[in-house]
């Protein structure tokens, strides 16, 4: 049966309909004349209303499935159809649409029964003035009901799904996983992954860019694994994937599949960026019988993978939990370590081989934890770096070292320079130059007395940005050093453009220079390169007289290491420098090593 008014494209959401009075109304009636009268009345109140007529069950089912409707108005008695059958057709569709009977042949009791069965109202055709009020009332009720349902769905979604990616959150992942684990024959692997160094992206490009990448990671993982497994966002830059293991499938194959999804670059404003994950795997039923245990163990394995080098995966093992508890203890303790006066700075002196005297010291962090005792920097600094706590700790250490160096200078130990390591997070801060300048102003330390060290690997991560930051720091008058040189992959084209003052040779090359011709050759090459670039050469990790003699023969400028003493407290280094002043007053030089 052709309609009186053709159906328009699907209308906008309910709020838009209310704003424009544009309604989609399905009229079930066999009389075209009656429908014209109804439509005229409706358009007097809703000028943009769109009406479509049907008069049998088949056409009504087709109409309900083809578009969204705001209202159904049905005549009661038609040759092959009636309002009660129309109501049943609507209910069978599962749609929530107001239903009004508009008829001249419906008995009072039939109308009441229809309303008890789901109709919203019935209006007699001999009282047409009641039709518009009934329509307005039911539409208002429907919009209220729909708004409530939408709000309830939103609450449920917020409670169970991640707002940024649309993926299940940690809670929903656990519930769904527990349901899947009920299958007695199921064997599964839970892969918990964390994006390596994702904080750097937020620091370098902003949090909006980080959100864009998180969405892309979620889309990529979901497209690859959600069909047969479960994909969820577990936290800031953490995701989880549940795999059903097929017969004979090795669990580590799942981790390899995840790594493959990260092989292609991600796109950020036209720029290609590569992300890598660190992953932990737990297996069902071997590593747990419920979702909470499996998730905890997979997360523990992920932390273990990070400790052993990023872009890696680790299958859970029982002893990992001990390491995880230790990590959590360190991470929580770091938050208040400075306020509780647990952090300190010690100083390892370095010597000028020509002048045979102490000319400065490297500031090194130490942490005396109330439960763990002295925690190695190799243990706590990577955790501080990952959690972002290195920013506050590094700023505190820089302030302490500069203030102490100024006190030494005031006491007559001048010239004396202090070397301070800058973490990647500190160096990548947009206001790093201003922060260093503020410390120099606060402590009144001459800028030339401060040496800032960054690692070779950090310098080469984004060489053009490194050059720009180094030049701004250089403009302050501080000295700049590349630490651990030889362990990264420097491009000489960039290295000669870095405004550096000092090249520090990593101790891994010093250890066997008197025994290994390869190491000796590498050190000679580094020294020659530094001289060509007019840089001061500084060798770390000097422990034996043989190592020292090699460096003296090769004309290295400065040395540092246990041969000259361990890192010292302020009191011990002060005493050593006081002794040095006395020796020089007597015309004696400090021996080559103590």
């Amino acid at each position: 049966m052709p309609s009186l008014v053709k159906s328009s494209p699907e209308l906008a959401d309910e709020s838009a309909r209310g704003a424009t009075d544009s309604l989609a109304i399905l009229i079930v009636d066999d009389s075209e004349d009656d429908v014209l009268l109804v439509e005229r009345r409706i358009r007097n109140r809703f000028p943009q209303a769109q009406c479509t007529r049907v008069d049998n069950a088949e056409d009504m089912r087709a109409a309900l499935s083809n578009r969204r409707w705001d209202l159904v108005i049905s005549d009661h008695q038609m040759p092959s159809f009636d309002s009660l059958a129309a109501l049943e057709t609507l209910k069978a569709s599962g749609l929530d649409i107001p239903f009004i009977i508009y008829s001249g042949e419906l008995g009072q009791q039939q109308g009441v029964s229809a309303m008890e069965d789901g109709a919203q109202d019935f209006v007699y055709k001999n009282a047409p003035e009641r039709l518009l009020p009934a329509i307005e009332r039911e539409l208002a009720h429907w919009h209220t009901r729909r708004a409530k349902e939408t709000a309830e769905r939103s609450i449920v979604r917020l409670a169970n799904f991640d707002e940024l990616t649309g993926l299940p959150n940690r809670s929903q992942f656990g519930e769904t996983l527990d349901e899947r684990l009920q299958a007695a024959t199921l064997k599964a692997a839970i892969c918990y992954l964390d994006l390596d160094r994702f904080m750097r992206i937020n620091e370098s490009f902003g949090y909006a860019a980080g959100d864009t990448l998180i969405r892309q990671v979620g889309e990529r993982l979901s497209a690859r694994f959600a069909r047969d497994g479960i994909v969820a966002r577990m936290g800031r830059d953490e995701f989880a994937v549940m795999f059903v293991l097929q017969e004979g499938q090795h669990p580590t194959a799942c981790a390899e599949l995840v790594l493959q999804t990260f092989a292609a670059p991600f796109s950020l404003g036209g720029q290609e960026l590569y992300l890598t994950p660190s992953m932990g795997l737990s297996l069902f039923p071997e590593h747990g019988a419920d979702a909470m245990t499996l998730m905890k163990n997979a997360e523990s394995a992920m932390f273990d993978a990070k400790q052993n080098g990023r872009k890696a995966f680790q299958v859970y093992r029982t002893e990992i939990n001990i390491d995880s508890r230790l990590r959590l203890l360190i991470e929580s303790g770091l938050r208040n370590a400075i306020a509780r006066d647990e952090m300190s700075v010690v100083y390892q002196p370095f010597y000028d081989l020509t002048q045979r005297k102490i000319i400065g010291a490297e500031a090194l962090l130490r942490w005396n934890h109330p439960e763990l005792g002295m925690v190695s920097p190799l243990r706590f600094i990577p955790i501080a770096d990952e959690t972002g706590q290195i920013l506050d700790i590094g700023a505190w250490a820089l302030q302490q070292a500069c203030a102490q160096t100024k006190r030494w200078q005031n006491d007559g130990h001048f010239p004396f320079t202090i070397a301070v390591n800058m973490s990647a997070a500190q160096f990548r801060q947009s206001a790093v130059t201003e922060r260093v300048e503020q410390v120099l102003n606060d402590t009144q330390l001459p800028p030339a007395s401060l040496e800032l060290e960054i690692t070779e690997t950090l310098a080469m991560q984004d060489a053009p940005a490194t050059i720009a930051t180094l030049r701004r720091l250089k403009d302050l008058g501080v000295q700049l050093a590349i630490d651990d040189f030889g362990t990264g992959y420097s491009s000489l084209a960039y290295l000669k453009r870095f405004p550096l003052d000092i090249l520090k040779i990593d101790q891994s090359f010093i250890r066997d220079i008197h025994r290994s011709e390869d190491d000796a050759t590498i050190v000679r090459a580094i020294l020659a390169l530094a001289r060509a670039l007019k840089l001061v050469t500084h060798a770390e990790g000097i422990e034996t007289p043989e190592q020292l003699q090699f460096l003296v023969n090769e004309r290295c400028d400065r040395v540092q290491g246990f041969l000259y003493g361990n890192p010292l407290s302020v009191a011990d280094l002060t005493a050593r420098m006081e002794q040095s002043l006395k020796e020089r007053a007597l015309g004696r030089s400090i021996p080559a090593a103590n």
Side-chain angles (χ1 to χ4, degrees), residues 36 103 174 180 280 445 448 454 463 510 537:
L36 283 172
S103 175
R180 297 285 292 273
L445 182 70
I454 63 171
I510 301 299
T537 53

Side-chain angles (χ1 to χ4, degrees), residues 156-173 176 214-226 229-235 238-241:
V156 170
R157 184 162 187 83
L158 286 173
N160 295 289
F161 293 86
D162 174 57
E163 188 174 3
L164 181 62
T165 63
L167 293 173
N169 60 17
R170 179 185 288 268
S171 173
Q172 182 66 22
F173 179 76
T176 307
I214 288 292
R215 278 193 293 267
Q216 290 183 32
V217 170
E219 290 167 0
R220 197 177 286 189
L221 290 173
S222 184
R224 184 77 181 270
F225 304 117
I230 312 169
V231 178
R233 186 183 181 202
M234 307 298 277
E238 298 172 350
F239 294 83
V241 182

